[in-house]
């Protein structure tokens, strides 16, 4: 079948998918309509804002960088939200008698249907109007606007097709779970950049960046309009040809990915079998862990942190935010080395609800616990797995923060306080895991099963408050040494904090073990709910 024959079929398919999706539930229909109205409203305001920039000194800088950022969004979003458009998955079409080249053309045209393409069109059109001066620039814009839009769409399709096997696998679902973290971290970087931009003299600081970006497709299309408005028709032609070449390369890469998907089997199971064979042979992480129950439980805990989407999201969120808070405050000039303890606290929270992370699979763990000693070894090994990551991470964040602030004298005391905090959170987390276990749903974005919100709140908030109380002696000692002016003795907080943290962590495990052993049926019921 030719492209002209396939195109109307796929356009109708796209419209049918949208229509049938809205029929599934009134909630989904309301969410779609609300998001569409908000997106179109923002697109209209954005279009008016870009038109208002026409004639200003930095209009070309804003226009070029806006299109470049939109292209980055089209590149990244298909990786995090592959289920947002069913036509992004070409494996649904592999059994049909379709050739890749006509399929590429039909899918590209069908991609124009939707809120995202309309939003992008408004941004590209506004950017072109903002820099179009003269008849030559207007004629260039007539070619540049659809060309830039098609490059964005082809970029998203090429990325999605190249990563289809990833997006439909467990790792792809991991990316979707982590999308909120990436967006949150991205907003932090945007906020930090805006603050630095305000202190550096406004948009003029972005002019050197825009001079480079205007030669990168699809922003080069808007650069062509700006060049034509300035009378540089040769440069405008080169930028248009560069954008056209990028579109051709993307379509070719997309077609090659479709050919590969339609003609080669999925090799993910081969990689999985190779990994299993490597682990079973004693290589990798398995060979570094202690033998017996301790090493087995540590390996299981670390595998959960790597393979389970909810657990992985919690770990990576803690790692990212624990680093962002002290580093960004240091970059803004009003930080302190003590903010490094925030990293320890974020990772220490992973000790809470240890059995809930197992969900209904906890019954297999239950079969291996027949005494208080077994419960103690189970909890201790889970704490060791957490320490394997938290200890070097705490040292890294503390050293980085102290180096950025140039305040090396506080490094020993902050590390000591962080180690004391870590021991306290291991202690309270062990007790909370044994007495306040709750379920973590795997099939939704909720982190607590319905009806267990109060248990989760008491477990986490109560544990954090108890950890603060347990750290009070070390905190009081640090304050007393500062107030008394005995700064030469502050280094003692490092060994004292390490010893105190180890002691309080050991006591917590000893307290939690008999409670866990006595409440195994209740824990199994709690973590299997939902």
């Amino acid at each position: 079948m030719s492209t002209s024959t396939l195109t109307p079929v796929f356009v109708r398919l796209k419209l049918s998918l949208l229509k049938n999706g809205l029929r599934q539930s009134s909630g989904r229909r309301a969410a779609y309509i609300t998001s569409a109205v908000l997106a179109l409203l923002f697109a209209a305001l954005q279009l008016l804002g870009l038109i208002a920039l026409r004639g200003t000194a930095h209009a070309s800088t804003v226009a070029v960088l806006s299109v470049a950022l939109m292209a980055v969004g089209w590149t990244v979003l298909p990786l995090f939200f592959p289920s947002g458009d069913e036509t992004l998955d070409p494996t649904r079409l592999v059994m049909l008698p379709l050739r890749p080249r006509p399929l590429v053309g039909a899918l590209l045209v069908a991609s124009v249907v939707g809120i995202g393409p309309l939003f992008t069109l408004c941004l590209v059109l506004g950017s072109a109007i903002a820099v179009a001066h003269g008849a030559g620039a207007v004629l260039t814009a007539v070619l540049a606007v659809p060309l830039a839009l098609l490059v964005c769409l082809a970029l998203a399709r090429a990325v999605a097709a190249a990563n289809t096997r990833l997006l439909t696998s467990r790792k792809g679902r991991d990316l979707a779970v982590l999308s909120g973290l990436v967006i949150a971290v991205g907003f932090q970087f945007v906020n930090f950049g805006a603050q630095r931009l305000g202190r550096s003299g406004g948009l003029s600081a972005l002019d050197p960046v825009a001079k480079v970006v205007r030669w990168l497709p699809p922003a080069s299309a808007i650069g062509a309009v700006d060049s034509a408005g300035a009378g540089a028709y040769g440069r405008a032609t080169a930028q248009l040809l560069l954008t056209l070449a990028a579109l051709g390369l993307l379509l070719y890469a997309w077609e090659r990915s479709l050919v590969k998907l339609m003609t080669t089997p999925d090799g993910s199971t081969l990689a999985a079998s190779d990994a299993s064979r490597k682990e079973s042979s004693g290589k990798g992480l398995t060979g570094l862990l202690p033998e017996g129950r301790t090493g087995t439980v540590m390996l299981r805990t670390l595998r959960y942190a790597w393979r389970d989407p909810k657990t992985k999201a919690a770990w990576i969120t803690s790692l990212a935010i624990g680093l962002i808070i002290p580093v960004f405050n240091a970059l803004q000039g009003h930080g302190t080395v003590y903010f490094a303890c925030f990293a320890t606290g974020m990772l220490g929270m992973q000790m809470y609800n240890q059995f809930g992370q197992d969900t209904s699979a906890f019954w297999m763990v239950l079969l291996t616990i027949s005494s208080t000693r077994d419960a103690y070894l189970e909890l201790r090994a889970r704490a060791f797995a957490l320490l394997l990551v938290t200890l070097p991470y705490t040292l890294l964040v503390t050293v980085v923060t102290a180096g950025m602030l140039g305040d090396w004298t506080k490094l020993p005391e902050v590390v000591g306080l962080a180690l004391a905090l870590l021991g306290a959170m291991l202690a309270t987390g062990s007790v909370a895991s044994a007495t306040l276990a709750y379920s973590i749903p795997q099939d939704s974005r909720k982190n607590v099963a319905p009806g267990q919100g109060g248990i989760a709140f008491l477990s986490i908030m109560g544990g954090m408050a108890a950890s603060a109380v347990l750290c009070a002696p070390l905190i009081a000692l640090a304050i007393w040494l500062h107030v008394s002016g005995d700064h030469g003795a502050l280094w003692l907080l490092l060994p004292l904090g390490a010893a105190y943290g180890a002691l309080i962590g050991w006591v917590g495990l000893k307290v939690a073990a008999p409670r866990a052993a006595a409440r195994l049926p209740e824990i199994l019921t709690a973590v299997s709910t939902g």
Side-chain angles (χ1 to χ4, degrees):
M1 296 179 70
S2 63
T3 303
S4 58
T5 306
L6 278 179
T7 299
V9 175
F10 275 90
V11 171
R12 290 195 300 270
L13 174 64
K14 183 67 174 289
L15 293 173
S16 297
L17 288 172
L18 290 174
K19 182 173 62 176
N20 293 335
L22 296 179
R23 287 177 176 176
Q24 290 184 2
S25 66
S26 58
R28 181 170 181 173
R29 184 163 53 250
Y32 182 85
I33 293 174
T34 302
S35 61
V37 170
L38 292 176
L40 293 177
L41 178 62
F42 186 74
L45 294 175
Q46 183 177 244
L47 175 62
L48 294 176
L50 288 169
I51 294 175
L53 284 175
R54 180 181 173 84
T56 60
H58 302 291
S60 62
T61 298
V62 175
V64 167
L65 294 181
S66 297
V67 175
L69 287 175
M70 179 60 67
V72 172
W74 276 102
T75 305
V76 174
L77 288 181
L79 297 176
F80 292 126
F81 304 103
S83 60
D85 184 357
E86 288 84 351
T87 61
L88 280 174
D89 185 5
T91 58
R92 299 171 181 264
L93 309 172
V94 295
M95 300 302 294
L96 299 178
L98 301 174
R99 293 186 177 274
R101 183 162 296 178
L103 189 59
V104 165
L107 286 175
L108 182 63
V109 176
S111 300
V112 180
V113 179
I115 300 175
L118 181 58
F119 181 89
T120 305
L121 178 62
C122 291
L123 184 141
V124 175
L125 180 60
S127 300
I129 293 175
V131 298
H133 301 284
V138 172
L139 291 176
T140 305
V142 172
L143 297 174
V145 170
L147 196 57
L149 175 63
L150 291 178
V151 168
C152 289
L153 297 177
L155 184 60
R157 291 287 178 167
V159 170
N163 295 278
T164 295
R165 295 263 165 82
L166 169 66
L167 298 177
T168 54
S169 66
R170 175 181 52 80
K171 291 184 178 180
R173 293 190 291 272
D174 292 351
L175 285 174
V177 172
L178 297 175
S179 60
L181 170 63
V182 174
I183 294 172
V185 173
F187 274 122
Q188 290 294 330
F189 278 103
V190 170
N191 179 46
F192 176 70
Q195 292 180 4
R196 293 294 294 268
L197 189 64
R199 292 196 296 266
S200 62
L203 293 174
S204 58
L206 295 177
D207 289 340
V209 180
K211 289 180 180 179
V212 176
V213 173
R214 69 176 58 247
W215 288 96
L216 301 177
S220 54
I222 303 303
V225 179
D226 185 43
S227 298
Y233 295 109
R235 187 172 65 198
T237 302
Q239 289 170 320
L240 274 180
L241 290 176
L242 184 61
T243 309
L244 185 62
L247 178 60
L249 288 175
L250 289 171
L251 293 177
Y252 176 76
W254 184 8
E255 180 183 348
R256 296 299 301 171
S257 297
L258 290 178
V259 171
K260 184 177 179 180
L261 287 170
M262 292 179 173
T263 58
T264 58
D266 187 0
S268 60
T269 55
L270 299 177
S273 63
D274 291 341
S276 300
R277 193 180 304 114
K278 183 177 180 180
E279 289 184 354
S280 62
S281 64
K283 298 179 181 179
L285 181 61
T286 309
L288 301 176
L289 297 177
E291 297 181 357
R293 184 187 185 109
T294 299
T296 302
V297 176
M298 289 179 67
L299 182 61
R300 185 207 323 137
T301 302
L302 294 173
R303 279 178 175 172
Y304 279 170
W306 180 252
R307 295 180 177 180
D308 180 63
K310 289 291 184 71
T311 307
K312 179 186 286 189
W315 272 84
I316 296 183
T317 300
S318 300
L319 289 168
I321 296 179
L323 180 63
I324 287 174
I325 296 298
V327 168
F328 272 45
N329 279 279
L331 287 173
Q332 293 172 359
H334 50 73
T336 173
V337 186
Y338 291 104
F339 278 157
C341 293
F342 193 83
T344 306
M346 290 297 298
L347 279 183
M349 290 175 62
Q350 303 309 310
M351 190 62 191
Y352 294 89
N353 197 35
Q354 277 291 313
F355 301 132
Q357 297 173 13
D358 299 344
T359 62
S360 57
F362 177 70
W363 72 269
M364 293 187 290
V365 178
L366 182 148
L367 295 177
T368 67
I369 300 176
S370 58
S371 64
T372 299
R373 176 66 179 173
D374 291 337
Y376 171 78
L377 293 176
E378 177 75 23
L379 287 169
R380 189 187 67 174
R382 293 178 184 237
F384 282 168
L386 184 64
L387 287 173
L388 197 63
V389 178
T390 307
L391 282 177
Y393 181 75
T394 297
L395 293 175
L396 173 65
V397 174
T398 308
V399 170
V400 169
T401 307
M404 295 179 66
L405 294 172
D407 194 359
W408 294 104
T409 57
K410 291 182 179 178
L411 183 62
E413 61 177 293
V414 173
V415 172
L417 291 173
L419 294 177
L421 175 62
L422 179 58
M425 298 197 78
L426 291 178
T428 57
S430 300
V431 176
S433 297
T435 57
L436 296 169
Y438 56 90
S439 177
I440 303 176
Q442 297 297 301
D443 299 328
S444 69
R445 292 186 178 271
K446 296 180 179 180
N447 291 320
V448 182
Q452 294 185 331
I455 298 176
F457 179 83
L458 184 59
S459 172
I460 296 174
M461 300 307 295
M464 292 174 64
S467 298
V469 173
L470 291 175
C471 290
L474 268 293
I475 296 174
L477 177 59
I479 295 174
W480 181 77
L481 290 175
H482 276 284
V483 172
S484 64
D486 194 4
H487 300 287
L490 285 170
W491 67 271
L492 292 172
L493 288 172
L494 177 55
L496 289 175
Y500 183 78
L503 175 63
I504 202 68
W506 175 76
V507 172
L509 291 172
K510 285 293 186 179
V511 172
R515 288 166 171 77
R519 300 186 69 254
L520 290 176
E522 292 88 342
I523 294 174
L524 178 61
T525 302
V527 301
S528 301
T529 303

